[in-house]
Amino acid sequence: MNHEYLMKHISYRLHTVVRRYTAEFIYIDSFCGRMGIQDCFTADELMAFFTSRRDIAFNFPVIMSFNGRFLYVFVPGEKYQFIIGPARFSEEVYLRWKMEVQNVDEAWLETVPVCGFKELAADVLLAFNICREELLDESGLLTENCIRQETDDELRTHFSELVFENREHGRRHNPYDQEFRECASIEQGELEQLKTAIKEDYIFSHLHDKICVQDIADELGLNANYLSELFHQCEKISLTDFIRREKMNLVKNLLIYSRYSCSEIATYLGYSSQSHMGKQFKECMGVTPNQYRRVYGVREFDV
């Protein structure tokens, strides 16, 4: 294969630099069809940004955002590896892989070429697929590199891990809307609403246990029937259904963002068995936990 021609083709189309490395990540050469373009990183520095990341499996193209403002693409190959960039997207793209660097010159940023995602994807896929039998398409490239804004994976992952760790070590941390309602209850003098909020704190802090209404009533010094009625009046949902819903939400988070098996999740959350959790999950979601994970689970764990 004429790799030099491939490098020139991509460089002319994207107006940026294409660098070539050996299979062992050693720099060989580069080509840039745009006159006068300069880079703020050396070829070795760029490769180090990618190889220093232990969360990257070098078997697919990696589009990495730098400071959320410009990007480089690592394209693995059988004989050679390539790094394409710098570049900027003409539209907002939410990239999974991120790197923060210091002392990036604003004047230099203005010189970084702009391209659309589809335009970049076409050339990245060309370089990646040209020597492979199994082809990667644009959908696969998106799945490996991009997140949807509404999913907000990074924040959800951080919060899910924080909550799980806090519960494992017996530390309490309310949901943010829960904390707001507790403060509002105090300010407004709503003692019953405050009791409800505190009770929900108990539920949130004991989702790893087998929770019953009587336990919560004992914690608050209330009659169990009165507590159930009060909760239903305030929340328009039975206390039992609320507990089940909150457990299901945590099951979903752990299926999406953790490596824990269904059996481990069931044990952690106080279900009598994996099948018990699975039955409730299917009643709630319409699919089994394993089916849900296959559809929504974060792909970076599939290694």
Side-chain angles (χ1 to χ4, degrees):
M1 170 183 291
N2 191 331
H3 291 91
E4 291 81 2
Y5 178 84
L6 176 65
M7 293 167 63
K8 292 180 180 180
H9 172 81
I10 295 174
S11 179
Y12 282 130
R13 280 177 48 86
L14 299 178
H15 308 287
T16 193
V17 185
V18 180
R19 298 171 177 83
R20 179 168 53 162
Y21 302 77
T22 67
E24 293 74 32
F25 310 113
I26 299 173
Y27 174 67
I28 301 175
D29 57 10
S30 64
F31 181 83
C32 182
R34 177 180 168 185
M35 295 294 294
I37 189 172
Q38 296 181 343
D39 205 336
C40 57
F41 305 114
T42 67
D44 291 336
E45 287 174 334
L46 283 175
M47 182 57 75
F49 287 136
F50 288 93
T51 56
S52 64
R53 294 285 297 267
R54 295 185 178 181
D55 53 347
I56 295 177
F58 293 99
N59 55 3
F60 59 86
V62 175
I63 308 173
M64 186 176 290
S65 169
F66 284 70
N67 297 355
R69 304 185 66 184
F70 60 103
L71 61 94
Y72 293 87
V73 188
F74 173 85
V75 183
E78 295 180 357
K79 185 176 181 180
Y80 298 113
Q81 326 273 9
F82 300 94
I83 292 181
I84 302 170
R88 292 180 292 165
F89 282 137
S90 56
E91 68 267 30
E92 197 161 20
V93 178
Y94 298 89
L95 295 174
R96 174 179 298 173
W97 312 106
K98 302 176 182 179
M99 179 71 66
E100 296 295 325
V101 292
Q102 303 296 322
N103 303 321
V104 176
D105 183 48
E106 289 292 327
W108 173 79
L109 274 174
E110 293 299 318
T111 69
V112 174
V114 177
C115 65
F117 178 83
K118 285 186 174 294
E119 183 182 4
L120 179 78
D123 288 315
V124 169
L125 291 172
L126 172 65
F128 182 72
N129 288 327
I130 204 164
C131 296
R132 294 173 177 266
E133 294 183 2
E134 295 184 4
L135 299 182
L136 178 70
D137 59 15
E138 184 178 311
S139 175
L141 187 67
L142 276 167
T143 299
E144 298 290 359
N145 286 277
C146 301
I147 59 177
R148 296 181 299 166
Q149 180 184 13
E150 59 268 28
T151 304
D152 204 3
D153 282 343
E154 189 172 57
L155 292 177
R156 288 177 181 269
T157 302
H158 175 74
F159 181 69
S160 178
E161 291 175 347
L162 177 62
V163 168
F164 192 78
E165 180 184 356
N166 285 346
R167 291 190 186 127
E168 285 291 273
H169 293 85
R171 297 193 296 268
R172 295 188 176 190
H173 188 286
N174 296 344
Y176 298 126
D177 61 340
Q178 175 65 27
E179 293 176 354
F180 174 82
R181 284 200 287 167
E182 287 186 16
C183 293
S185 300
I186 296 171
E187 293 173 357
Q188 298 167 13
E190 296 286 336
L191 297 183
E192 294 298 337
Q193 184 177 337
L194 176 59
K195 283 185 177 180
T196 302
I198 294 173
K199 178 247 323 124
E200 290 177 15
D201 183 17
Y202 178 91
I203 294 172
F204 189 81
S205 302
H206 291 77
L207 284 176
H208 279 293
D209 306 324
K210 295 180 180 179
I211 307 174
C212 66
V213 175
Q214 188 63 56
D215 291 334
I216 304 171
D218 292 343
E219 176 80 4
L220 297 174
L222 297 174
N223 176 273
N225 291 333
Y226 172 72
L227 175 60
S228 297
E229 182 179 353
L230 174 64
F231 188 91
H232 191 272
Q233 289 177 357
C234 293
E235 301 297 327
K236 311 305 180 187
I237 184 177
S238 73
L239 184 50
T240 301
D241 287 342
F242 178 86
I243 295 170
R244 178 179 295 188
R245 186 185 71 186
E246 292 306 302
K247 284 216 174 195
M248 284 296 104
N249 286 336
L250 188 52
V251 171
K252 288 190 291 184
N253 277 343
L254 293 174
L255 288 171
I256 295 172
Y257 300 113
S258 81
R259 297 183 178 89
Y260 294 108
S261 68
C262 291
S263 177
E264 289 173 327
I265 293 173
T267 300
Y268 285 140
L269 298 185
Y271 287 95
S272 59
S273 65
Q274 178 182 338
S275 61
H276 178 217
M277 182 189 78
K279 180 181 178 181
Q280 287 196 0
F281 191 89
K282 189 168 184 179
E283 290 175 353
C284 177
M285 301 303 300
V287 295
T288 68
N290 283 326
Q291 289 170 332
Y292 186 88
R293 171 170 272 172
R294 281 197 294 270
V295 174
Y296 299 105
V298 174
R299 293 288 298 276
E300 64 191 77
F301 292 147
D302 297 336
V303 295

